[in-house]
């Protein structure tokens, strides 16, 4: 399908009502017969039927470690490496080649591991024909001009260096992905995303627990092995695939001894999957969020990881047998037919043997202090809405913040570096929208829904928070570094269709 800009049709003024959206959604099952409707090459398919034809992928292979990005520097405190974005071929299903986009030939991209206090210098080579790109360091405290904003594209065939220092206290589970104007969603679902773990100088979590990144991505394959382009359903809801992969594998297997404890960093690197997760038969303890460790461990029966969120867990494997990490049902608001079956998918199987593991030290009771951000001097309100516009030949969803679609030439908010702000993020739309801000970590202070206010169960540093439909989330935020920053919904198709703004931080 050709990529269209958000259409501002004459119906725009009428189009923000739920009633209209509903009317259109009811039409969607007959959409093939509607004149001029662009079905993105899927004409003749019922949208709900897409999953039935899913290509089977092998399961149960040993969980691969993500390849580590090698540090080319020999000077202590310097991390120097190269990341090349280029077309590659992956083999997800037997005998099927899948053209993908990859960093250094792999998807997910290589795992970057550095330490607090390190200087980072990464040379980026864009070797994708005809496509500009950037590398955005999601969640990381990097200068605005090093953060891969859509305003700073790297042209096809061009190179640039991203350089920044990792401050003390910045240990956490970050990631990197492209952020070019209008192409982020596609470059990410085609394979460009990787984990960036910043390690603490003194880590309170026992080393015996290991430290394993589990990066979840979402894959849809056509029968010929190719990745189909986004459909209208994908644009509305965000792209959901047929398979959730862990480090590029479907339901891989991990073997541990009885009594083992493992540290996992869970990454939701999908465009639009909401992952409500639990281990069947193994207790989970949350130890960290997007921006590093919590103050103290928190036990959890299940967790919700919305697109772009991360959590650090310690899982105790105290009974033998296969233990699965599986999905539970979560209704994030789905428009039109074809809501994917989200529950009951097995993402990972842990084989716990009868042989006891080496005894390991217990998890400490305190992990690190988190200073509350304190009293805000400014407060702002951001309101999410969805719109539908149509004309004789086309229909388009739009996703807006405070009634506006993203405009690269417009600054939406001006803030002062070092000042604490209260942001009230109000979701007036029919879908959940995971809200993300670049360049800093924030603290969620409360959620409000139907007049009921609730506090989050723990204080945490976050860069992405789900704002459920009908919900208001209040958070405290402080930007330390000047320059333009993006804030947006991390359903990447929504970001592409306008749900993004620019925050200009002044020194
Ligand atoms: Cu993952 Cu604009 O970010
Ligand atoms: Cu980001
Ligand atoms: Cu959204």
């Amino acid at each position: 399908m050709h990529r269209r800009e958000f259409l501002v049709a004459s119906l725009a003024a009428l189009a923000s009502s739920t009633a209209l959206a509903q009317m259109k959604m009811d039409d969607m099952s007959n959409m093939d017969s509607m004149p001029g409707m662009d079905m993105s090459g899927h004409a003749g398919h019922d949208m709900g039927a897409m999953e039935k034809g899913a290509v089977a992928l092998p399961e149960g292979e040993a969980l691969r470690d993500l390849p580590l990005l090698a540090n080319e520097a020999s000077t202590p405190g310097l991390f120097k490496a190269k990341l090349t974005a280029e077309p590659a071929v992956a083999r997800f299903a037997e005998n099927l080649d899948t053209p993908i986009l990859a960093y250094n030939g792999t998807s997910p991209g290589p795992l970057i591991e550095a330490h607090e206090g390190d200087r980072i210098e990464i040379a980026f080579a864009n070797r994708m024909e005809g496509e500009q790109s950037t590398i955005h360091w999601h969640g990381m405290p990097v200068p605005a001009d090093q953060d891969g904003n859509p305003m700073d594209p790297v042209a096809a065939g061009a190179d640039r260096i991203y350089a920044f220092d990792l401050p003390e206290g910045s240990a956490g589970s970050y990631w990197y992905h492209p952020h070019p104007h209008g192409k982020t969603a596609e470059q990410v679902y085609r394979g460009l995303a990787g984990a960036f773990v910043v390690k603490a100088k003194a880590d309170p979590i026992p080393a015996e627990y290991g430290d394993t990144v589990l990066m979840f991505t979402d894959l849809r394959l056509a029968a010929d092995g190719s990745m189909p382009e986004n459909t209208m359903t994908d644009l509305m809801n965000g792209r959901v695939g047929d398979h959730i992969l862990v480090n590029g594998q479907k339901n891989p297997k991990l073997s541990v001894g009885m009594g083992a404890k493992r540290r996992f960093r869970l990454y939701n690197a999908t465009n639009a999957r909401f992952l409500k997760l639990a281990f069947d038969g193994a207790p989970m303890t949350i130890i960290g969020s997007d921006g590093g460790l919590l103050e103290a461990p928190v036990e959890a029966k299940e967790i919700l990881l919305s697109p772009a969120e991360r959590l650090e867990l310690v899982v105790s494997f105290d009974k033998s047998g296969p233990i699965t990490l599986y999905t539970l049902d979560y209704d994030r608001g789905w428009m039109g037919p074809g809501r994917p079956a989200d529950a009951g998918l097995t993402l990972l199987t842990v084989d716990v043997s009868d042989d006891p593991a080496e005894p390991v030290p217990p998890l400490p009771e305190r992990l690190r202090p988190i200073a509350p951000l304190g009293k805000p001097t400014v407060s702002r309100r951001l309101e999410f809405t969805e719109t539908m516009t149509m004309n004789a030949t086309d229909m388009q969803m739009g996703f807006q913040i405070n009634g506006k679609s993203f405009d690269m030439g417009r600054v939406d908010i001006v803030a002062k570096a070092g000042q604490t702000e209260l942001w009230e993020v109000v979701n007036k739309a029919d879908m959940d929208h995971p809200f993300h801000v670049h360049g800093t970590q924030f603290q969620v202070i409360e959620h409000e829904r139907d007049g009921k206010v609730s506090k989050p169960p723990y204080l945490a540093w976050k860069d992405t928070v789900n704002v459920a439909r009908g919900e208001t989330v209040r958070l405290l935020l402080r930007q330390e570094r000047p320059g333009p920053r993006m804030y947006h919904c991390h359903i990447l198709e929504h970001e592409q269709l306008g749900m993004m703004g620019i925050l200009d931080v002044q020194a």
Side-chain angles (χ1 to χ4, degrees):
M1 147 184 147
H2 60 283
R3 276 149 214 106
R4 295 156 303 181
E5 293 299 316
F6 171 72
L7 288 182
V8 186
S10 52
L11 281 165
L14 293 172
S16 59
S17 74
T18 309
L20 181 55
Q22 209 44 61
M23 188 256 304
K24 290 306 298 174
M25 292 313 98
D26 292 340
D27 283 344
M28 297 238 356
S29 45
N30 313 315
M31 227 159 79
D32 295 346
S33 57
M34 287 177 67
M37 197 58 76
D38 178 1
M39 285 295 294
S40 317
H42 285 273
H45 290 232
D46 174 67
M47 285 191 210
M50 229 155 336
E51 301 211 342
K52 285 177 215 145
V55 175
L57 302 195
E59 301 183 37
E61 293 168 352
L63 175 73
R64 287 191 292 259
D65 280 335
L66 292 167
L68 209 55
L69 188 64
N71 184 2
E72 294 163 7
S74 43
T75 326
L78 177 63
F79 185 95
K80 215 176 150 161
K82 192 167 177 176
L83 281 176
T84 301
E86 62 200 337
V89 173
R91 175 117 330 166
F92 295 107
E94 261 174 79
N95 302 318
L96 274 186
D97 283 342
T98 301
I100 63 166
L101 298 176
Y103 287 118
N104 296 1
T106 69
S107 178
L111 168 62
I112 306 178
E113 256 184 35
H115 284 85
E116 292 176 347
D118 281 357
R119 167 92 183 154
I120 308 295
E121 287 179 20
I122 293 185
F124 171 49
N126 177 2
R127 295 295 175 265
M128 297 181 289
E129 216 174 296
E131 284 191 41
Q132 57 177 36
S133 195
T134 75
I135 303 183
H136 166 56
W137 313 98
H138 180 121
M140 302 184 72
V142 315
D145 60 357
Q146 304 300 308
D147 206 17
N149 283 333
M151 298 80 91
D152 305 314
V154 178
D159 298 80
R160 77 153 279 172
I161 291 175
Y162 290 104
F164 47 89
D165 297 301
L166 298 174
E168 297 300 327
S170 63
S173 308
Y174 308 103
W175 57 302
Y176 61 95
H177 62 76
H179 220 301
H181 185 54
K183 292 287 274 183
T184 301
E186 182 179 344
Q187 289 185 3
V188 172
Y189 79 66
R190 294 207 183 275
L192 294 179
F196 194 139
V197 173
V198 178
K199 300 230 172 195
K201 284 197 172 129
D203 194 325
I205 310 303
E208 291 85 345
Y209 298 3
D211 190 344
T212 306
V213 169
L214 301 176
M215 196 168 205
F216 304 121
T217 57
D218 203 348
L219 176 71
R220 186 190 306 154
L221 287 184
D224 66 355
S226 67
M227 287 183 191
E229 293 197 348
N230 270 346
T231 63
M232 188 61 87
T233 296
D234 295 330
L235 293 176
M236 282 192 293
N237 295 287
R239 182 188 182 91
V240 169
D242 299 327
H243 309 276
I244 301 170
L245 306 183
V246 182
N247 298 356
Q249 295 171 284
K250 180 151 185 185
N251 183 18
K253 198 172 82 185
L254 182 68
S255 302
V256 304
M258 167 106 76
K261 287 188 196 302
R262 295 295 296 256
R263 177 189 198 167
F264 295 117
R265 298 178 193 254
L266 274 55
Y267 281 71
N268 187 338
T270 69
N271 278 32
R273 274 275 187 184
F274 287 69
L275 298 170
K276 191 169 185 182
L277 303 173
F279 276 93
D280 177 23
M284 294 186 289
T285 304
I286 303 172
I287 57 165
S289 56
D290 304 333
L293 294 175
L294 307 183
E295 294 183 291
V298 175
E299 261 147 54
K301 287 216 165 59
E302 51 191 45
I303 54 175
L304 177 66
L305 211 57
S306 72
E309 282 188 297
R310 290 88 65 208
L311 276 177
E312 270 185 81
L313 299 180
V314 168
V315 183
S316 304
F317 298 101
D318 296 327
K319 74 175 217 237
S320 69
I323 306 278
T324 57
L325 173 63
Y326 68 101
T327 59
L328 296 126
D329 187 50
Y330 179 73
D331 184 5
R332 45 85 142 212
W334 185 268
M335 302 199 82
R339 183 183 165 200
D342 277 331
L345 308 173
T346 302
L347 303 191
L348 172 77
T349 302
V350 183
D351 252 325
V352 186
S353 72
D354 291 322
D355 302 331
E358 292 282 313
V360 290
L363 194 57
E365 274 165 37
R366 309 296 309 169
L367 302 178
R368 66 154 173 182
I370 295 181
L373 274 173
K375 260 209 160 325
T377 48
V378 181
S379 62
R380 307 187 190 278
R381 182 183 161 92
L382 278 71
E383 206 178 278
F384 294 162
T385 50
E386 292 153 8
T387 61
M388 178 88 56
T389 53
M390 40 190 161
N391 58 27
T393 58
D394 214 339
M395 172 186 104
Q396 188 81 55
M397 283 295 290
F399 296 90
Q400 308 190 316
I401 302 179
N402 291 347
K404 290 179 182 149
S405 292
F406 178 63
D407 178 344
M408 209 159 36
R410 184 188 68 224
V411 167
D412 297 280
I413 298 176
V414 177
K416 256 196 127 17
Q419 209 163 57
T420 300
E421 303 198 342
L422 172 72
W423 285 29
E424 184 174 65
V425 190
V426 184
N427 186 348
K428 292 241 170 120
D430 296 320
M431 284 180 252
D432 288 17
H433 295 287
F435 179 67
H436 169 53
V437 186
H438 288 199
T440 194
Q441 294 285 322
F442 54 70
Q443 293 176 353
V444 176
I445 50 169
E446 62 187 31
H447 296 251
E448 182 174 342
R449 203 174 189 170
D450 303 326
K452 268 194 245 113
V453 175
S454 61
K455 302 271 173 211
Y458 47 80
L459 184 60
W461 290 115
K462 293 190 56 60
D463 56 56
T464 308
V465 61
N466 188 39
V467 187
R469 55 219 154 105
E471 190 183 43
T472 294
V473 172
R474 295 188 184 88
L475 54 90
L476 292 172
L477 171 139
R478 188 167 70 210
Q479 294 278 359
E480 303 288 359
R481 290 160 197 81
R485 300 292 183 176
M486 322 310 293
Y487 56 88
H488 58 90
C489 172
H490 220 288
I491 289 181
L492 294 175
E493 284 73 13
H494 293 174
E495 176 257 20
Q496 180 174 329
L497 292 179
M499 201 173 256
M500 175 155 70
I502 297 179
L503 162 71
D504 190 28
V505 182
Q506 305 200 323

